[in-house]
Amino acid sequence: MDKKLKILLVNDDGISSPGIVHLAEMAMQLGEVWVAAPSSQCSAMSHCITVRGSLQIRQEDFPVPGVM
């Protein structure tokens, strides 16, 4: 049985950063790729939490065909 990996890529540099685009292209060779990233650069936010207000999630077109 030939199973493809399901790969989730995340970053804090933004959905259109060159690094995550390149990584997604390479990961496509290994399996199904999903990307979760902020709409813009958010480095050093790993200690930040959302307590009040809303967290908005939306699907974006990704520049690598086949990546969700």
XYZ file of all heavy atoms in Angstrom:
508
model
N 0.840 -1.164 0.000
C 0.000 0.000 0.000
C 0.897 1.242 0.000
O 1.780 1.386 0.826
C -0.897 -0.037 1.235
C -1.833 1.114 1.271
S -3.015 1.222 2.649
C -2.903 -0.245 3.556
N 0.642 2.155 -0.931
C 1.446 3.367 -1.064
C 0.674 4.554 -0.481
O -0.222 5.082 -1.125
C 1.782 3.607 -2.536
C 2.741 4.752 -2.737
O 3.497 5.062 -1.803
O 2.731 5.334 -3.828
N 1.002 4.947 0.745
C 0.310 6.058 1.395
C 1.100 7.339 1.212
O 2.313 7.353 1.398
C 0.126 5.798 2.886
C -0.933 4.818 3.211
C -1.161 4.813 4.709
C -2.371 3.996 5.058
N -2.681 4.065 6.470
N 0.398 8.423 0.855
C 1.043 9.726 0.763
C 0.955 10.418 2.121
O -0.032 10.288 2.835
C 0.352 10.589 -0.286
C 0.718 10.217 -1.699
C 0.264 11.302 -2.621
C 1.286 11.439 -3.714
N 1.052 12.579 -4.555
N 1.978 11.149 2.453
C 1.979 11.923 3.693
C 1.012 13.088 3.591
O 0.806 13.641 2.514
C 3.378 12.469 3.966
C 4.486 11.468 4.218
C 5.818 12.193 4.320
C 4.215 10.679 5.484
N 0.445 13.475 4.705
C -0.340 14.700 4.803
C 0.520 15.676 5.582
O 0.846 15.437 6.744
C -1.675 14.448 5.490
C -2.567 13.569 4.657
C -3.916 13.406 5.268
C -4.722 12.510 4.353
N -6.113 12.452 4.738
N 0.906 16.781 4.938
C 1.897 17.695 5.498
C 1.256 19.059 5.746
O 0.653 19.635 4.844
C 3.085 17.844 4.534
C 3.703 16.471 4.250
C 4.112 18.824 5.082
C 4.628 16.450 3.058
N 1.412 19.577 6.968
C 0.950 20.921 7.303
C 2.174 21.805 7.491
O 3.015 21.542 8.348
C 0.116 20.910 8.593
C -0.293 22.279 9.146
C -1.195 23.018 8.159
C -0.965 22.118 10.495
N 2.273 22.858 6.688
C 3.361 23.827 6.809
C 2.818 25.078 7.477
O 1.755 25.583 7.100
C 3.910 24.205 5.431
C 4.487 23.086 4.585
C 4.932 23.629 3.235
C 5.648 22.434 5.302
N 3.532 25.579 8.460
C 3.147 26.812 9.140
C 4.368 27.720 9.253
O 5.499 27.247 9.255
C 2.551 26.551 10.546
C 1.280 25.747 10.455
C 3.548 25.838 11.437
N 4.114 29.007 9.294
C 5.208 29.958 9.517
C 4.651 31.236 10.111
O 3.439 31.390 10.265
C 5.982 30.222 8.219
C 5.315 31.231 7.314
O 4.161 31.603 7.512
N 6.020 31.689 6.307
N 5.520 32.155 10.460
C 5.072 33.447 10.978
C 5.513 34.589 10.061
O 5.384 35.748 10.407
C 5.577 33.678 12.409
C 7.096 33.691 12.508
O 7.772 33.492 11.478
O 7.606 33.899 13.623
N 6.002 34.239 8.876
C 6.495 35.246 7.935
C 5.443 35.703 6.934
O 5.713 36.567 6.113
C 7.699 34.709 7.160
C 8.887 34.485 8.064
O 9.001 35.204 9.069
O 9.701 33.593 7.774
N 4.279 35.088 6.938
C 3.220 35.473 6.017
C 3.019 34.451 4.915
O 3.930 33.715 4.547
N 1.813 34.414 4.396
C 1.414 33.419 3.404
C 2.198 33.548 2.099
O 2.396 32.572 1.385
C -0.109 33.490 3.149
C -0.608 32.273 2.372
C -0.500 34.768 2.439
C -0.713 31.030 3.164
N 2.670 34.739 1.778
C 3.356 34.929 0.499
C 4.884 35.007 0.638
O 5.564 35.398 -0.306
C 2.833 36.179 -0.193
O 3.048 37.308 0.618
N 5.420 34.611 1.781
C 6.876 34.673 1.957
C 7.550 33.667 1.021
O 7.041 32.560 0.802
C 7.266 34.393 3.399
O 7.059 33.043 3.710
N 8.690 34.028 0.453
C 9.383 33.127 -0.474
C 9.760 31.786 0.164
O 9.725 30.754 -0.498
C 10.641 33.898 -0.865
C 10.372 35.322 -0.520
C 9.379 35.310 0.594
N 10.080 31.797 1.446
C 10.497 30.566 2.119
C 9.408 29.522 2.185
O 9.649 28.337 1.914
N 8.189 29.903 2.544
C 7.112 28.912 2.668
C 6.648 28.436 1.295
O 6.254 27.293 1.123
C 5.944 29.415 3.538
C 5.153 28.204 4.042
C 5.073 30.399 2.791
C 4.324 28.444 5.248
N 6.743 29.319 0.293
C 6.406 28.912 -1.076
C 7.399 27.849 -1.553
O 7.006 26.805 -2.082
C 6.382 30.125 -2.023
C 6.244 29.693 -3.464
C 5.256 31.085 -1.640
N 8.670 28.079 -1.340
C 9.701 27.119 -1.751
C 9.553 25.796 -0.986
O 9.642 24.720 -1.571
C 11.088 27.711 -1.541
C 12.202 26.818 -1.980
N 12.440 26.525 -3.303
C 13.115 26.133 -1.264
C 13.459 25.692 -3.379
N 13.895 25.441 -2.159
N 9.312 25.878 0.297
C 9.140 24.678 1.108
C 7.925 23.876 0.642
O 7.974 22.643 0.559
C 9.004 25.049 2.586
C 8.970 23.912 3.588
C 10.220 23.041 3.475
C 8.823 24.459 4.991
N 6.840 24.558 0.299
C 5.639 23.875 -0.196
C 5.923 23.160 -1.514
O 5.457 22.037 -1.727
C 4.505 24.874 -0.362
N 6.684 23.798 -2.391
C 7.048 23.164 -3.663
C 7.817 21.869 -3.416
O 7.560 20.852 -4.064
C 7.888 24.114 -4.511
C 7.122 25.288 -5.049
C 8.021 26.342 -5.683
O 9.232 26.396 -5.376
O 7.490 27.126 -6.485
N 8.732 21.896 -2.491
C 9.543 20.709 -2.184
C 8.692 19.630 -1.494
O 8.819 18.443 -1.791
C 10.729 21.076 -1.297
C 11.650 22.156 -1.846
S 12.159 21.994 -3.560
C 13.126 20.544 -3.537
N 7.815 20.038 -0.593
C 6.993 19.092 0.158
C 5.974 18.391 -0.732
O 5.559 17.266 -0.442
C 6.289 19.804 1.309
N 5.573 19.020 -1.839
C 4.618 18.411 -2.770
C 5.139 17.079 -3.308
O 4.358 16.216 -3.694
C 4.322 19.357 -3.939
C 3.417 20.515 -3.606
S 1.725 20.019 -3.285
C 1.222 19.459 -4.896
N 6.440 16.907 -3.322
C 7.030 15.652 -3.797
C 6.798 14.504 -2.805
O 6.919 13.338 -3.163
C 8.530 15.833 -4.027
C 8.854 16.851 -5.086
C 10.351 17.114 -5.178
O 11.169 16.309 -4.780
N 10.698 18.271 -5.723
N 6.454 14.846 -1.557
C 6.287 13.844 -0.509
C 4.838 13.496 -0.211
O 4.555 12.452 0.363
C 6.953 14.319 0.780
C 8.447 14.627 0.680
C 8.933 15.239 1.978
C 9.219 13.369 0.334
N 3.907 14.410 -0.538
C 2.513 14.133 -0.213
C 1.616 15.336 -0.375
O 1.936 16.300 -1.060
N 0.468 15.263 0.284
C -0.549 16.312 0.248
C -0.123 17.446 1.188
O 0.179 17.206 2.357
C -1.880 15.728 0.704
C -3.025 16.674 0.716
C -4.301 16.010 1.204
O -4.449 14.775 1.077
O -5.146 16.731 1.742
N -0.119 18.685 0.695
C 0.417 19.806 1.466
C -0.677 20.833 1.763
O -1.426 21.238 0.880
C 1.579 20.496 0.710
C 2.105 21.684 1.495
C 2.693 19.506 0.433
N -0.742 21.236 3.021
C -1.617 22.308 3.482
C -0.726 23.380 4.103
O 0.280 23.070 4.746
C -2.583 21.794 4.541
C -3.608 20.843 3.991
C -3.390 19.572 3.563
C -4.985 21.098 3.809
N -4.562 19.020 3.121
C -5.565 19.933 3.263
C -5.811 22.193 4.059
C -6.910 19.838 2.961
C -7.148 22.089 3.761
C -7.683 20.935 3.217
N -1.097 24.643 3.931
C -0.318 25.758 4.481
C -1.215 26.595 5.386
O -2.345 26.927 5.024
C 0.258 26.649 3.350
C 0.930 27.877 3.922
C 1.250 25.861 2.507
N -0.716 26.938 6.566
C -1.400 27.847 7.491
C -0.405 28.935 7.875
O 0.666 28.639 8.407
C -1.874 27.106 8.732
N -0.752 30.165 7.553
C 0.157 31.279 7.826
C -0.640 32.569 7.927
O -1.725 32.675 7.359
C 1.198 31.389 6.718
N -0.113 33.556 8.630
C -0.794 34.841 8.711
C -0.766 35.565 7.359
O 0.050 35.257 6.489
C 0.008 35.613 9.766
C 1.357 34.976 9.760
C 1.150 33.552 9.383
N -1.654 36.528 7.191
C -1.724 37.264 5.922
C -0.506 38.151 5.705
O -0.164 38.476 4.577
C -2.999 38.101 5.852
O -3.052 39.011 6.928
N 0.169 38.521 6.784
C 1.383 39.329 6.665
C 2.404 38.850 7.700
O 2.100 38.008 8.543
C 1.071 40.808 6.878
O 0.542 41.011 8.167
N 3.591 39.403 7.640
C 4.686 39.008 8.526
C 4.315 39.253 9.985
O 3.847 40.326 10.344
C 5.935 39.807 8.135
C 7.215 39.228 8.605
C 7.624 39.737 9.969
O 6.977 40.546 10.595
N 8.727 39.226 10.445
N 4.506 38.255 10.837
C 4.178 38.356 12.271
C 5.262 37.714 13.129
O 4.963 37.018 14.108
C 2.844 37.674 12.556
S 1.420 38.506 11.897
N 6.513 37.920 12.803
C 7.597 37.322 13.580
C 7.547 37.783 15.031
O 7.074 38.869 15.334
C 8.951 37.700 12.968
O 9.130 37.026 11.757
N 8.015 36.936 15.915
C 8.083 37.200 17.357
C 6.706 37.278 18.010
O 6.534 37.889 19.045
C 8.883 38.462 17.650
N 5.715 36.632 17.418
C 4.367 36.632 17.988
C 4.041 35.314 18.696
O 2.909 35.090 19.092
C 3.327 36.874 16.883
C 3.428 38.221 16.200
S 2.843 39.573 17.215
C 1.104 39.293 17.165
N 5.020 34.445 18.866
C 4.750 33.129 19.428
C 4.268 33.181 20.879
O 3.644 32.244 21.355
C 5.985 32.240 19.323
O 7.037 32.796 20.078
N 4.530 34.258 21.568
C 4.081 34.392 22.961
C 2.775 35.168 23.062
O 2.279 35.397 24.154
C 5.153 35.079 23.810
C 6.386 34.246 23.931
N 6.601 33.395 24.971
C 7.462 34.114 23.123
C 7.754 32.776 24.812
N 8.300 33.203 23.684
N 2.223 35.555 21.942
C 0.990 36.331 21.913
C -0.217 35.394 21.866
O -0.203 34.388 21.171
C 1.005 37.229 20.667
S -0.433 38.273 20.527
N -1.255 35.718 22.638
C -2.494 34.954 22.578
C -3.653 35.906 22.329
O -3.589 37.088 22.667
C -2.742 34.129 23.862
C -2.875 35.051 25.082
C -1.651 33.111 24.072
C -3.347 34.344 26.336
N -4.705 35.393 21.725
C -5.908 36.186 21.483
C -6.901 35.866 22.591
O -7.425 34.749 22.657
C -6.509 35.855 20.105
O -5.525 36.141 19.119
C -7.753 36.675 19.838
N -7.147 36.826 23.482
C -8.070 36.628 24.584
C -9.375 37.359 24.305
O -10.455 36.817 24.456
C -7.460 37.123 25.913
C -8.443 36.971 27.049
C -6.178 36.366 26.210
N -9.265 38.579 23.873
C -10.446 39.383 23.524
C -10.364 39.708 22.047
O -9.292 39.807 21.473
C -10.464 40.662 24.347
C -10.640 40.385 25.816
C -10.915 41.683 26.564
N -11.183 41.387 27.955
C -10.327 41.605 28.937
N -9.160 42.139 28.689
N -10.638 41.309 30.171
N -11.499 39.885 21.444
C -11.513 40.167 20.014
C -11.685 38.870 19.240
O -11.930 37.805 19.806
N -11.537 38.960 17.949
C -11.781 37.786 17.122
C -10.522 37.372 16.362
O -9.638 38.181 16.118
C -12.906 38.071 16.133
O -12.547 39.132 15.278
N -10.504 36.134 16.024
C -9.441 35.569 15.208
C -10.094 35.202 13.882
O -11.030 34.409 13.846
C -8.854 34.333 15.881
C -7.738 33.617 15.154
C -6.518 34.533 15.046
C -7.369 32.346 15.889
N -9.652 35.807 12.804
C -10.269 35.574 11.501
C -9.431 34.592 10.696
O -8.214 34.737 10.590
C -10.402 36.887 10.745
C -11.300 37.879 11.446
C -11.378 39.199 10.699
O -10.888 39.338 9.601
N -12.003 40.169 11.333
N -10.106 33.616 10.146
C -9.449 32.622 9.306
C -10.133 32.644 7.948
O -11.358 32.655 7.860
C -9.555 31.212 9.922
C -8.885 31.205 11.285
C -8.942 30.171 8.998
C -9.098 29.940 12.068
N -9.322 32.662 6.889
C -9.903 32.623 5.549
C -8.979 31.842 4.623
O -7.770 31.768 4.836
C -10.169 34.020 5.017
C -8.928 34.836 4.756
C -9.303 36.172 4.092
N -8.101 36.887 3.786
C -7.654 37.936 4.468
N -8.327 38.384 5.493
N -6.543 38.532 4.111
N -9.587 31.275 3.602
C -8.822 30.520 2.620
C -8.282 31.487 1.567
O -8.987 32.363 1.099
C -9.701 29.469 1.950
C -8.927 28.557 1.047
C -9.772 27.385 0.575
O -10.831 27.108 1.117
N -9.291 26.695 -0.427
N -7.020 31.324 1.238
C -6.340 32.166 0.250
C -5.852 31.295 -0.903
O -5.598 30.114 -0.724
C -5.127 32.854 0.878
C -5.444 33.838 1.971
C -5.922 35.171 1.432
O -5.542 35.542 0.305
O -6.674 35.842 2.137
N -5.692 31.906 -2.061
C -5.046 31.209 -3.168
C -3.557 31.160 -2.886
O -2.955 32.172 -2.539
C -5.301 31.931 -4.487
C -6.745 31.816 -4.940
O -7.377 30.782 -4.649
O -7.236 32.747 -5.582
N -2.971 29.990 -3.021
C -1.537 29.825 -2.769
C -0.843 29.677 -4.113
O -1.369 29.033 -5.018
C -1.297 28.594 -1.874
C 0.068 28.545 -1.273
C 0.427 29.434 -0.275
C 1.001 27.626 -1.704
C 1.704 29.397 0.292
C 2.270 27.572 -1.155
C 2.605 28.474 -0.148
N 0.344 30.263 -4.276
C 1.001 30.266 -5.585
C 1.545 28.916 -6.080
O 2.084 28.853 -7.172
C 2.140 31.281 -5.418
C 2.391 31.346 -3.966
C 1.085 31.055 -3.301
N 1.392 27.857 -5.310
C 1.859 26.526 -5.728
C 0.628 25.665 -6.046
O -0.179 25.417 -5.154
C 2.719 25.858 -4.634
C 3.183 24.487 -5.077
C 3.909 26.740 -4.263
N 0.469 25.247 -7.294
C -0.690 24.424 -7.658
C -0.775 23.148 -6.827
O 0.227 22.486 -6.578
C -0.436 24.083 -9.133
C 0.512 25.116 -9.620
C 1.345 25.494 -8.427
N -1.975 22.830 -6.358
C -2.191 21.613 -5.584
C -2.052 21.772 -4.092
O -2.399 20.875 -3.341
N -1.566 22.924 -3.639
C -1.407 23.170 -2.202
C -2.683 23.822 -1.676
O -3.220 24.734 -2.287
C -0.190 24.073 -1.920
C -0.131 24.467 -0.458
C 1.082 23.371 -2.327
N -3.162 23.336 -0.553
C -4.372 23.901 0.058
C -3.987 24.964 1.043
O -3.029 24.919 1.712
C -5.162 22.817 0.772
C -5.539 21.713 -0.149
S -6.572 22.317 -1.430
C -7.886 21.201 -1.392
